[in-house]
């Protein structure tokens, strides 16, 4: 979803006012009356083009594939974006009205300098009124850069409690280079890596607690599980050095299996520290089990990918059924 990553920088009110009046001040030639009309037309054009560029750079959020729609809603808030854009639309219309009226006044013979000064004053106030919305849209642009563009291919979502070793696994098997650290919630964003056969998504840790209590960071993991996983790799740290009991990790696992009903491979991490072998186990420290688990989860993801129709690519229309059958 490159559209989200390529939103333009949005000027603050002060910067936008500067831009409009600086462009107008370059207008030369003609008598005072014509020059004033030209200046006003310049402001009108530059302002119209600017608002159009910003407003049209945003996609129609409702028709985005659910992964992107829900991510935008989580990291920024779709309603807030819409409100801000409609304020810009309002300002655009007001400025055009002020300019049309001013041009008519100059044509009728009113004092050009006075008309111009008063129009500029009113235009500045309108733009100052939307300063908060302009700043919000610029922050939204920054925040949306964290939303990765996914590929249409078998997709594994790696999940589990915080600090169990999810990122360590993803770093070992894929192109992704997530941060790894000994404290929980090291991973706060969705990180995508690739192997020759699968797309593998590292997610923030999830706590064993009711959905309504979960933070926006945990919800990023949840929405990947719901919207893009062809298979789930659930990592359990039976040593509890992660800081979460085995019981709470298994309770989270049950909830995920029950909620999403997706093929789930449950494995133990940190096998260098324990001897539980009733599930497949791996160690990111000595490499034990890593290849076997990758092979198994790849097989599961590929099989389920060919059977389901999770849409994650750019076009909201095409179903993967059509593309793969
Ligand atoms: N001994 C041992 N330590 C490990 C292993 N895998 C990960 N760790 C350690 O466990 C800690 C957490 O590892 P991460 O890969 O960051 O865990 P995570 O699940 O991604 O953590 P969050 O992003 O915070 O949810 C780090 O200190 C790792 O070095 C392992 O196989 N053996
Ligand atoms: Mg992590």
């Amino acid at each position: 979803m490159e559209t989200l990553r390529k939103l333009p920088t949005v000027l603050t009110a002060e910067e936008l006012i500067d831009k409009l009046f600086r462009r107008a001040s370059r207008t030369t030639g003609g008598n005072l009356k014509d020059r004033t009309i030209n200046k006003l037309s310049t402001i009108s054009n530059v302002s119209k083009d600017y608002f159009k560029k910003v407003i049209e750079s945003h996609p129609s959020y409702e028709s985005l594939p659910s992964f992107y729609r829900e991510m935008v809603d989580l990291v920024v808030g779709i309603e807030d974006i819409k409100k801000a854009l409609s304020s810009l639309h309002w300002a655009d219309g007001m400025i055009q009205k002020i300019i049309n009226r001013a041009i008519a006044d100059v044509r009728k013979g009113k004092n050009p300098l006075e008309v111009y000064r008063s129009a500029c004053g009113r235009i500045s106030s309108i733009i100052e009124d939307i300063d908060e919305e302009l700043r919000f849209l610029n922050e939204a642009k920054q925040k949306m850069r964290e939303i990765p563009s996914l590929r249409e291919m078998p997709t594994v979502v790696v999940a589990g409690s915080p600090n169990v070793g999810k990122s360590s696994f993803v770093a070992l098997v894929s192109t992704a280079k997530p941060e790894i650290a000994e404290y929980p919630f090291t991973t706060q964003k969705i990180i995508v890596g690739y192997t020759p056969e699968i797309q593998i998504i590292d997610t923030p840790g999830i706590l064993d607690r009711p959905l309504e209590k979960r933070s926006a960071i945990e919800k990023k993991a949840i929405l990947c599980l719901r919207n893009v996983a062809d298979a789930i790799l659930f990592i359990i740290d039976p040593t509890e050095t992660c800081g979460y009991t085995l019981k709470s990790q298994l309770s989270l696992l049950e909830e995920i299996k029950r909620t999403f009903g997706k093929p789930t491979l449950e494995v133990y991490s940190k096998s260098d520290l324990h001897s539980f072998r009733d599930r497949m186990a791996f160690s990111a420290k000595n490499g034990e089990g890593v290849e076997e688990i990758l092979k198994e989860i790849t097989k599961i993801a590929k099989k389920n990918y060919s059977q389901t129709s999770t849409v994650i690519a750019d076009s909201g229309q095409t179903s993967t059924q059509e593309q793969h059958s």
Side-chain angles (χ1 to χ4, degrees):
M1 191 52 57
E2 286 305 308
T3 338
L4 298 179
R5 306 170 66 86
K6 287 187 180 149
L7 292 171
T9 300
V10 183
L11 302 177
T12 61
E14 197 184 331
E15 290 164 340
L16 180 54
I17 291 167
D18 260 19
K19 175 185 166 98
L20 297 182
F21 298 157
R22 196 164 0 97
R23 288 285 295 276
S25 72
R26 285 191 217 132
T27 314
T28 51
N31 59 33
L32 179 61
K33 187 171 165 181
D34 292 343
R35 196 159 63 240
T36 304
I37 291 173
N38 283 342
K39 279 184 178 180
L40 288 164
S41 311
T42 302
I43 296 175
S44 162
N45 292 336
V46 176
S47 151
K48 201 189 302 159
D49 289 351
Y50 185 74
F51 285 119
K52 187 169 168 1
K53 181 182 90 176
V54 173
I55 292 169
E56 289 183 357
S57 68
H58 287 262
S60 146
Y61 290 101
E62 304 310 335
S63 49
L64 290 182
S66 46
F67 168 75
Y68 297 102
R69 193 179 62 238
E70 291 180 23
M71 278 296 281
V72 171
D73 214 20
L74 253 189
V75 304
V76 186
I78 291 177
E79 277 314 304
D80 291 339
I81 297 175
K82 284 187 180 168
K83 267 193 223 152
L85 290 175
S86 78
S87 298
L88 265 61
H89 187 74
W90 167 83
D92 178 31
M94 291 299 286
I95 291 169
Q96 296 307 321
K97 260 192 207 157
I98 293 167
I99 291 175
N100 289 342
R101 166 73 59 85
I103 290 176
D105 285 348
V106 175
R107 288 213 169 104
K108 269 190 254 156
K110 288 201 181 159
N111 180 333
L113 289 178
E114 261 169 37
V115 171
Y116 186 71
R117 202 177 307 123
S118 132
C120 288
R122 294 179 62 200
I123 290 168
S124 299
S125 321
I126 301 279
I127 296 176
E128 275 157 14
D129 276 350
I130 58 162
D131 187 47
E132 205 180 306
E133 287 82 357
L134 292 166
R135 287 174 192 271
F136 169 83
L137 288 169
N138 201 47
E139 278 164 28
K141 166 212 160 67
Q142 306 291 353
K143 289 185 185 160
M144 283 199 245
R145 288 168 64 174
E146 81 162 71
I147 303 176
S149 278
L150 299 181
R151 296 184 197 160
E152 196 70 65
M153 67 189 289
T155 301
V156 169
V157 175
V158 180
S161 299
N163 217 19
V164 296
K166 300 179 295 300
S167 299
S168 300
F169 183 84
V170 172
L172 276 178
V173 305
S174 79
T175 53
K177 294 287 161 265
E179 193 188 332
I180 293 163
E182 66 281 6
Y183 49 83
F185 292 108
T186 304
T187 306
Q188 307 212 334
K189 298 170 183 171
I190 300 312
I191 295 167
V192 186
Y194 295 90
T195 77
E197 295 183 281
I198 60 166
Q199 174 165 249
I200 184 162
I201 304 186
D202 184 18
T203 63
I206 307 170
L207 298 177
D208 178 34
R209 57 177 173 180
L211 183 59
E212 66 273 13
K213 294 230 167 98
R214 286 191 175 130
S215 67
I217 294 175
E218 293 171 85
K219 285 180 183 158
K220 291 177 194 172
I222 301 284
L223 84 83
C224 285
L225 291 168
R226 185 188 315 120
N227 294 305
V228 297
D230 293 306
I232 297 170
L233 180 62
F234 189 90
I235 299 186
I236 302 160
D237 170 6
T239 70
E240 304 184 345
T241 53
C242 59
Y244 302 90
T245 62
L246 179 56
K247 185 163 173 271
S248 79
Q249 295 180 58
L250 294 177
S251 158
L252 174 67
L253 169 65
E254 285 317 308
E255 184 207 332
I256 286 177
K257 289 205 283 194
R258 195 174 58 239
T259 310
F260 305 110
K262 299 207 178 168
T264 303
L265 180 63
E266 21 188 296
V267 302
Y268 290 128
S269 60
K270 310 186 186 176
S271 67
D272 53 299
L273 301 178
H274 63 85
S275 50
F276 290 87
R277 294 296 182 270
D278 55 314
R279 294 180 169 93
M280 292 177 94
F282 76 96
S283 165
K285 291 283 178 244
N286 63 26
E288 181 196 0
V290 172
E291 280 311 312
E292 290 86 340
I293 289 172
L294 175 62
K295 211 171 142 193
E296 183 62 18
I297 196 66
T298 299
K299 195 171 87 189
I300 298 171
K302 284 170 81 174
K303 177 154 180 266
N304 194 42
Y305 178 67
S306 61
Q307 289 170 355
T308 56
S309 54
T310 330
V311 178
I312 52 178
D314 283 22
S315 129
Q317 267 75 46
T318 4
S319 88
T320 47
Q321 282 299 24
E322 286 161 14
Q323 292 179 6
H324 301 295
S325 56

